[in-house]
């Protein structure tokens, strides 16, 4: 319990520092960096694992929660240690924290 | 992206199928083991991925952890291609020979083209090129564009500039012709005299003093316009008389046609000979010679490849056997031939108008003779120098 509080305090301090530097939230901690190119391609930097992958849904573990991409004909164009590119017809992006 | 594809093709890649429940787990293991995979597609329980051929062995260790079935669906790239044909030595030898030949044949001038000429004939420029050592089939290293272009220009009058441009194996001789210089104006004093008999119908004298009027009859050699002009102050001046004196003249055109003559006619027998020429070597595609007499029609076709002329010529010669036959013309046909020849003569007359007055024809001593009497309106003025004798 004490450890969780310590983690929460640390994250709060990082958020405070980020706000002071006028940086977007999540830039200083280990959050995922997601870039969408129209609704045809999503580049995810900071992906920890693929939780679920099927033709109409790709769900990823991004550290602090998960993000799922829904659409049609989805394919993972490339995958390496922390990066992943999803191509297809994207219809929705959903965060679960 | 293209470079990435090329790189992957050169390194070789395999398409692998993961089959089983939670195949995503194998993907995560690949990512954690830093196995680079791409083109990941899902179809039901199967996930198809592509990965570098060299990293396929590492996939086995990952597979053991996950318990998912892994199979190779396809192999792509150069290493697999080479492996497939590794026993076919002839194929590799041919590949190497192709590039060696390509390099060897690229070291020669295959065709020469001339551009920019209008008045100077292409043949003359090509002949000058040959004279300075530029020929089709010459090694490229022997081409000295600067010196040879100067030598070539010295051989041809009428060129202001020339350049030898080599593009691959095609040499283009780009030339610029010199502007033609008009001949210097002749200022020698002269009179205008009548070239033939006639009646003056029009006087168009631009310099000199006119000595005839419209309606005057003149004989050949009569003075028409004088170059010695008297000025208003009483002095005389020598001028070059010029202009036109149009007179009505009569001309007689005569043609003689022998009624019996030897004609060379084709018998109908034809022999075809073909030859192939490559650079300067002619390869005859026939045996034996054709016995004379014959008439020859020769056609040469130069092969071209996408607009570029190749040094390969295909020559087809048709030899028609001939014989000499004595033929006799009847007067009617002789008259038709005579009229055609007289008409051709009439066309050569430099007259404003020509009118046929009479036609006479007769056959005598095996010769058919036709005479046309013409009335012409023509310029009869010709210049004649004024000879000035000076005594000291």
């Amino acid at each position: 319990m004490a450890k969780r509080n310590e983690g929460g305090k640390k994250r709060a301090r990082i958020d405070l520092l980020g706000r002071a530097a006028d940086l977007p939230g999540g830039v200083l901690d280990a959050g995922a960096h997601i870039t969408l190119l129209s609704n045809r391609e999503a580049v995810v930097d900071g992906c920890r694992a693929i939780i679920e992958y099927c033709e109409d849904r790709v769900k990823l573990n991004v550290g602090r929660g998960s993000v799922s991409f829904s659409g049609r004909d989805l394919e993972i164009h490339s995958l390496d240690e922390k990066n992943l590119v999803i191509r297809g017809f994207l219809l929705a992006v959903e965060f679960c924290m | 992206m293209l470079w990435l594809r090329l790189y992957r093709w050169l390194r070789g890649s395999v398409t692998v199928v993961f089959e089983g429940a939670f195949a995503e787990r194998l993907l995560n293991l690949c990512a954690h083991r830093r196995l680079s995979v791409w083109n990941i597609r899902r179809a039901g329980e199967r996930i198809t991925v592509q990965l570098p051929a060299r990293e396929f062995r590492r996939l086995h260790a990952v597979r053991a952890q996950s318990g998912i079935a892994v199979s190779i669906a396809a192999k792509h790239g150069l290493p697999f291609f080479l492996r497939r044909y590794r026993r076919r030595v002839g194929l590799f030898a041919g590949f190497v020979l192709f590039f060696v030949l390509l390099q060897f044949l690229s070291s020669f001038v295959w065709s020469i083209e001339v551009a920019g000429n209008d008045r100077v004939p292409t043949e003359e420029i090509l002949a000058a090129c040959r004279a300075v050592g530029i020929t089709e089939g010459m090694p490229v290293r022997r081409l000295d564009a600067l010196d040879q272009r100067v030598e070539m220009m010295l051989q041809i009058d009428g060129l202001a500039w020339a350049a030898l441009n080599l593009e691959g194996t095609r040499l283009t001789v780009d030339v610029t012709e010199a502007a033609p210089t008009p001949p210097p104006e002749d200022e020698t004093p002269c009179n205008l005299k009548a070239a033939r008999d006639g009646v003056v119908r029009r006087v168009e004298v631009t310099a000199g003093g006119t000595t005839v009027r419209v309606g005057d009859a003149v004989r050949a050699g009569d003075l028409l316009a004088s170059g010695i002009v008297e000025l208003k102050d009483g002095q005389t001046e020598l001028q070059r008389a010029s202009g036109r004196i149009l007179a009505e003249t009569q001309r007689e055109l005569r043609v003689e046609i022998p009624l019996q003559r030897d004609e060379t006619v084709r018998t109908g027998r034809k022999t075809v000979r073909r030859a192939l020429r490559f650079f300067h070597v002619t390869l005859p595609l026939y045996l034996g010679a054709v016995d004379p007499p014959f008439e020859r029609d020769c056609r040469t076709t130069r092969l071209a490849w996408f607009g570029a002329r190749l040094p390969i010529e295909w020559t087809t010669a048709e030899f028609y056997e001939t014989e000499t036959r004595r033929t006799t013309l009847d007067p009617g046909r002789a008259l038709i031939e005579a009229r055609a020849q007289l008409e051709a003569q009439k066309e050569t007359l430099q007259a404003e108008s020509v009118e046929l007055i009479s036609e006479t024809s007769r056959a005598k001593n095996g010769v058919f003779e036709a005479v046309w009497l013409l009335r012409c309106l023509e310029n009869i003025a010709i210049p004649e120098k004024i000879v000035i004798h000076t005594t000291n």
Side-chain angles (χ1 to χ4, degrees):
Chain A
M1 193 69 182
K3 248 186 184 178
R4 192 175 287 177
N5 282 344
E6 264 181 38
K9 281 179 185 175
K10 191 179 170 186
R11 210 172 290 147
R13 271 188 235 122
I14 289 171
D15 280 350
L16 192 66
L17 191 65
R19 275 201 298 276
D22 206 15
L23 292 170
V27 167
L28 292 180
D29 63 3
H33 187 177
I34 299 169
T35 310
L36 284 172
L37 299 170
S38 180
N39 69 332
R40 296 306 172 113
E41 185 174 303
V43 181
V44 184
D45 181 12
C47 167
R48 301 277 176 88
I50 301 167
I51 300 168
E52 184 190 348
Y53 172 38
C54 56
E55 281 177 347
D56 52 4
R57 185 177 161 89
V58 179
K59 189 171 181 182
L60 308 172
N61 176 358
V62 288
R64 288 168 61 185
S66 65
V67 58
S68 62
F69 297 88
S70 307
R72 292 198 303 268
D73 303 325
L74 299 182
E75 67 167 66
I76 300 173
H77 182 67
S78 65
L79 169 71
D80 58 28
E81 195 182 359
K82 286 200 170 175
N83 302 313
L84 177 141
V85 178
I86 299 167
R87 279 191 185 168
F89 195 88
L90 296 168
L91 292 172
V93 182
E94 189 181 347
F95 292 89
C96 188
M97 298 293 176
Chain B
M1 203 59 194
L2 186 70
W3 290 113
L4 183 64
R5 280 187 184 181
L6 182 67
Y7 173 76
R8 284 171 176 169
W9 185 82
L10 289 172
R11 298 288 308 270
S13 63
V14 286
T15 301
V16 176
V17 178
F18 301 162
E19 207 163 356
F22 304 110
E24 294 91 342
R25 192 162 165 250
L26 193 52
L27 287 178
N28 291 328
L29 287 168
C30 286
H32 289 148
R33 297 252 176 161
R34 296 186 179 179
L35 259 169
S36 166
V37 290
W38 64 90
N39 285 350
I40 303 161
R41 287 191 181 89
R42 178 109 205 191
E45 287 288 301
R46 294 153 62 99
I47 291 181
T48 310
V49 303
Q50 217 172 329
L51 74 157
R54 284 176 177 238
E55 296 191 7
F56 180 69
R57 289 185 181 202
R58 287 175 61 200
L59 190 67
H60 278 293
V62 178
R63 184 184 68 97
Q65 286 180 7
S66 65
I68 292 165
V70 174
S71 58
I72 294 177
K75 296 172 181 177
H76 321 271
L78 186 64
F80 297 108
F81 179 80
L82 292 178
R83 192 176 170 78
R84 198 183 312 154
Y85 296 107
R86 68 185 184 283
R87 290 184 195 281
R88 303 181 72 168
V89 181
L91 192 72
F92 290 106
F95 194 69
V96 172
L97 189 67
F98 168 75
F99 281 102
V100 169
L101 270 177
L102 192 69
Q103 185 64 31
F104 175 71
L105 293 174
S106 303
S107 62
F108 295 95
V109 173
W110 276 62
S111 65
I112 300 174
E113 286 172 15
V114 179
N117 60 319
D118 189 26
R119 290 183 300 276
V120 182
T122 302
E123 290 72 26
E124 191 183 338
I125 297 170
L126 289 175
C129 286
R130 278 194 292 276
V132 299
I134 301 169
T135 55
E136 286 177 345
M138 69 178 288
V140 170
R141 63 188 155 78
R142 280 200 206 152
L143 184 72
D144 185 352
L146 292 176
D147 287 350
Q148 281 174 321
R149 95 183 168 93
V150 174
E151 285 177 38
M152 191 194 77
M153 281 179 67
L154 289 172
Q155 303 239 345
I156 307 170
D157 294 330
L159 286 191
W161 174 85
L164 303 172
N165 296 317
L166 186 70
E167 295 165 57
T169 57
R170 185 171 60 178
L171 182 72
T172 308
V173 184
D174 285 302
V175 297
T176 303
E177 293 172 341
T181 49
E185 208 167 300
D186 192 358
E187 292 294 333
T188 315
C190 66
N191 297 319
L192 288 181
K193 292 218 165 177
R196 46 196 316 116
D197 300 350
V199 179
V200 176
R201 292 293 178 215
R202 207 186 310 160
V203 177
E204 296 171 359
V205 174
T206 53
T210 313
T211 58
V212 291
R213 285 181 294 184
V214 173
D216 288 356
V218 292
R219 294 189 66 82
D222 283 358
L223 183 68
L224 300 177
S226 173
I228 303 165
V229 180
E230 192 172 330
L231 302 175
K232 284 180 182 172
D233 57 5
Q235 290 189 334
T236 54
E237 187 185 65
L238 291 174
Q239 290 183 353
R240 182 178 176 81
S242 63
R244 297 198 313 162
I245 305 287
L246 293 170
E248 191 180 291
T249 60
Q250 283 196 351
R251 281 181 181 261
E252 191 183 86
L253 303 182
R254 186 182 298 270
V255 163
E256 286 184 351
I257 294 172
L259 291 171
Q260 282 198 332
R261 59 187 173 196
D262 293 334
E263 273 185 339
T264 303
V265 291
R266 294 180 177 181
T267 61
R269 283 190 201 152
K270 185 175 86 169
T271 310
V272 180
R273 293 279 190 260
R274 293 186 178 87
L276 190 69
R277 189 177 164 88
F278 184 71
F279 282 123
H280 305 292
V281 181
T282 304
L283 185 70
L285 305 176
Y286 57 85
L287 292 171
V290 180
D291 295 326
F294 55 76
E295 283 179 0
R296 193 177 73 159
D297 283 349
C298 194
R299 288 192 311 275
T300 300
T301 311
R302 185 145 189 163
L303 301 185
W305 179 260
F306 290 107
R309 292 165 74 237
L310 298 176
I312 303 167
E313 286 179 351
W314 179 257
T315 304
T316 306
E318 289 174 343
F319 294 83
Y320 296 95
E321 190 186 70
T322 58
E323 63 180 17
T324 306
R325 286 182 196 159
R326 170 147 293 206
T327 55
T328 305
L329 277 180
D330 61 272
R333 203 177 144 201
L335 181 63
I336 292 169
E337 269 192 34
R339 277 177 178 165
Q341 290 185 25
L342 287 167
E343 194 64 41
Q345 281 188 32
K346 187 181 145 189
E347 291 298 318
T348 61
L349 297 176
Q350 293 178 337
E352 295 265 312
S353 65
V354 180
E355 186 188 342
L356 179 65
I357 302 169
S358 67
E359 181 190 68
T360 54
S361 60
R362 63 173 182 172
K364 191 181 177 186
N365 299 332
V367 175
F368 184 85
E369 187 187 65
V371 178
W372 274 6
L373 192 62
L374 304 173
R375 184 184 294 128
C376 306
L377 182 67
E378 60 181 316
N379 178 24
I380 58 166
I382 52 166
E384 188 187 67
K385 278 184 188 174
I386 300 172
V387 181
I388 303 164
H389 293 284
T390 54
T391 52
N392 293 326

